[in-house]
Structures are given as structure tokens and as C-alpha cells.
Amino acid sequence: MTTKDQRMAGAVPSVMHVRCPDRLPEEAYRRVLDQLAGLSPVVQALPPTAALVELKVPLRYHGADARRLGEILRVRTLCVRTLSRLGMDVRVGVGPSITVAATASAQIAQPGGVVAVDPGQAAQWLAPLPVDALHGIGPRQADTLHDYGIHTVGLLAAVDPATVQRLLDGRAGRLAADRARGTGPRPGVPRTLPAAATVRCAFDRHVLGGAAVRAALLDLVVQLGLLLRRRGQAARALTLTLKFAGSGGWEKTRRLKEPSAHDDDLRVLVSQLMDTAGLQRGRLTAIALKGEDLVSADQVALQISLDDAREARLVAETTADRIRDKFGPGVIGPAAAFRSAC
């Protein structure tokens, strides 16, 4: 069986189904959803370890084919530091319907990969699969179909839908007949984005401050700004949390003058927060930076600026975001951030 990647000029798959590893911690699952929200404005969480993503807008925005968008997601989940320590990968299925996308993701062997099914080849791709491999077909339904000699999805698709309804009791039979033909029972729905966004850094060894801490903070600022911009949100306030050896901690919140998701604005406020911490010989073990009281970027007023240097930095930020979207989040950033001890 083969799959095709669709380009912008042709028909494109419209749904992505993502499967995370089994028994994934809830916090890690939330971070995967954050990564998905950075790819598309329409994400449906399927707890505890799966999600659906509508791809029409992302394909236009990112200018990538469906398979490449799936690979971008895999790179992002593997490169998020707290997830990479878990060795986490994801299985991504892409197709013209939920049924095809979810069936495709289930065909990928652990730990991860991407299968993108051409809309024009969906029925052909499904046909050889065992009927119990079709998304939405449970064990009891599969046993009933086996009793009538229907062992593959292709055979199920060839049976008259009215007959399938009689075999599988009404609505369940109608849905099974539709699934065998590659159509989905329902579209994805937008997921309400959380009112906060958090990025974290855990040090491999105790750090006493200085350049390593400043570099780690700058890296967190870049991560948070990118996350907010991909979500289409802006923060009204920032909370900085420091964890020290011996279970001690420090936390402080300060509000921005105006809601923002720009690295420059976040960096200035984080520097002020860090100055108030008054670090001397405290042995840091971790840092967390949280954007709070989030608003939609559409609600942020655009103001004319006479600061040419700031305007140049904003242009550079937009260019850097495009490079990250194409090549991954770690390929570009402030030089000082690469000194991070995280």
C-alpha cells in the first residue's frame, strides 16, 4: 500500500489524527495540544492521548503539504525539552476524513511516523485493511461482520448500506458503511485555548546564576513568545517561578503595559522580574515562565511606533517564526540563548 503527499495545487487531505504514546502524563499531553494549537486554530482534544486537527487553514498558512505538516509536528514534540527527555514521538495520520486519518495513524508502528492518504485514493487505501482496523468498528461489530464473511474494509464498502444497517442494527450500520467508504461521522471542533501558557526549563545541574541563568531565561522568552503567536494570543501578565535546591522556591507576577506576544516586550518584563528576585548564592534547579490573563491577538491594539530599532526587531521576529515553521523551533534564535544550561 502506498500513500501520496498532496500539494497546494491539488486536492489536499483536511484532517490530521495524532496519537501520543500510551500512559502519557497529563502535563505532557497538554503540551502536545499546545503544539497542535500552534499549527491550527481548530484542534479537538481526544483525551487521554489523541487529538484531531483541521488542516485547511494550516496548509494555506504554512505553505506545506500535509505530510510535511505532520513531520513538523513530530519535530516540535521531539524538540520540546521536557518532552524529549521522555523520548516522546507521535503517530500522525492525515486524510480527507476523520475515519481515514484515524485509521492511518493506527497503522503506524511505535514509536512514531506519518501516513498521509490521498483523498482520491482513500477507498483504495482502506480496501485491503482488516475490517477491525477501520476506525469506529468495535470488536463486537467486527465479529458480526466476520460471521457474514466480511473480513476486509473493501468487502464492507461493497455491501449495500441497507444490508449493513440490518447486520449492525440501524445507526451503527449506517456509520460503518460510511466509514468503509472513507467518510467521517463528524468534523473537528475548535478547542478553547487555556487562559495561560507555560514554558519550563530544568537544569541538569545546580546553577548559581549569572550568564547561564540569563541565557535560560532568554530561551524561555523565545519559547513563550512563539507559543503565544502561534496560538494567536497575547499575554497581559507574566509570572516567573524559580525552584531552588532543597525544595525552596520564589514566584512573582507582573503585568505588561500592553498585552503582547513579542519577544522584545516579554524579555524586558522578565528582566525586571529577575532583578527583583535578588539572586545571590541560591542554587537554581528549574525556571518556569507563564503568560497569564491571555487575550486574542485580534483584541490587541496596533500602535504606530517611531522606534525604528523596535520595528526592525519585529520584522526579524516574523522572519524567524517562518524559519522555525519550516525547519524546526531550534534552528534560529538569539545567540545568548544558546548558552542555556537547560
Side-chain angles (χ1 to χ4, degrees):
M1 292 180 293
T2 61
T3 60
K4 290 184 179 180
D5 301 334
Q6 291 301 295
R7 303 291 176 179
M8 295 298 291
V12 292
S14 60
V15 180
M16 175 189 289
H17 187 274
V18 179
R19 295 179 190 268
C20 303
D22 295 336
R23 297 181 294 278
L24 186 71
E26 182 179 353
E27 178 63 22
Y29 177 61
R30 289 176 182 271
R31 295 185 189 183
V32 173
L33 293 179
D34 287 338
Q35 295 298 316
L36 291 173
L39 286 179
S40 172
V42 184
V43 177
Q44 181 179 356
L46 302 174
T49 60
L52 286 171
V53 184
E54 202 282 326
L55 292 182
K56 184 184 297 183
V57 172
L59 287 171
R60 289 201 304 265
Y61 176 78
H62 293 284
D65 60 48
R67 181 181 180 84
R68 176 162 177 75
L69 207 58
E71 294 292 357
I72 288 173
L73 172 63
R74 291 185 67 205
V75 168
R76 288 181 181 176
T77 56
L78 286 167
C79 288
V80 174
R81 285 187 172 88
T82 52
L83 295 181
S84 63
R85 289 177 178 171
L86 299 175
M88 198 198 80
D89 202 347
V90 292
R91 294 179 289 161
V92 181
V94 186
S97 69
I98 295 173
T99 295
V100 176
T103 301
S105 66
Q107 295 301 302
I108 302 169
Q110 297 277 12
V114 180
V115 170
V117 181
D118 182 340
Q121 300 295 320
Q124 180 180 341
W125 183 84
L126 288 171
L129 298 178
V131 72
D132 54 358
L134 184 63
H135 176 71
I137 299 295
R140 293 181 61 183
Q141 292 177 327
D143 289 343
T144 299
L145 294 171
H146 291 163
D147 289 342
Y148 286 91
I150 302 173
H151 296 280
T152 66
V153 177
L155 288 174
L156 178 57
V159 176
D160 184 79
T163 301
V164 181
Q165 284 185 249
R166 289 196 295 271
L167 296 179
L168 298 181
D169 300 325
R171 183 174 181 274
R174 184 170 62 255
L175 289 175
D178 289 342
R179 289 185 174 109
R181 291 166 174 78
T183 60
R186 55 190 171 86
V189 297
R191 176 179 68 91
T192 301
L193 289 171
T198 305
V199 291
R200 298 176 176 83
C201 168
F203 295 104
D204 295 329
R205 59 188 182 279
H206 296 170
V207 178
L208 295 177
V213 173
R214 295 286 177 177
L217 278 172
L218 181 56
D219 187 41
L220 291 181
V221 165
V222 172
Q223 290 183 46
L224 180 61
L226 183 61
L227 176 58
L228 291 173
R229 293 191 297 275
R230 283 174 172 163
R231 285 183 178 181
Q233 293 183 298
R236 287 193 176 111
L238 295 180
T239 296
L240 178 65
T241 302
L242 307 178
K243 298 292 184 181
F244 298 100
S247 301
W250 178 93
E251 182 174 289
K252 191 172 183 63
T253 300
R254 181 171 289 183
R255 297 187 70 82
L256 290 143
K257 294 180 180 178
E258 298 288 343
S260 179
H262 296 303
D263 296 350
D264 215 34
D265 300 330
L266 303 181
R267 176 185 56 79
V268 170
L269 187 58
V270 167
S271 295
Q272 295 172 1
L273 284 168
M274 197 64 187
D275 289 341
T276 63
L279 289 180
Q280 294 181 358
R281 300 299 296 174
R283 293 180 297 159
L284 277 173
T285 60
I287 304 174
L289 181 62
K290 180 190 291 186
E292 298 193 90
D293 196 8
L294 304 186
V295 297
S296 171
D298 296 337
Q299 300 177 27
V300 179
L302 296 178
Q303 298 184 2
I304 298 176
S305 172
L306 300 179
D307 186 342
D308 292 340
R310 172 180 167 78
E311 292 302 312
R313 287 193 293 270
L314 293 179
V315 171
E317 179 183 272
T318 301
T319 302
D321 285 352
R322 291 174 179 171
I323 294 172
R324 294 183 185 107
D325 287 335
K326 186 172 184 179
F327 298 106
V331 300
I332 190 170
F338 289 92
R339 298 181 58 181
S340 172
C342 293

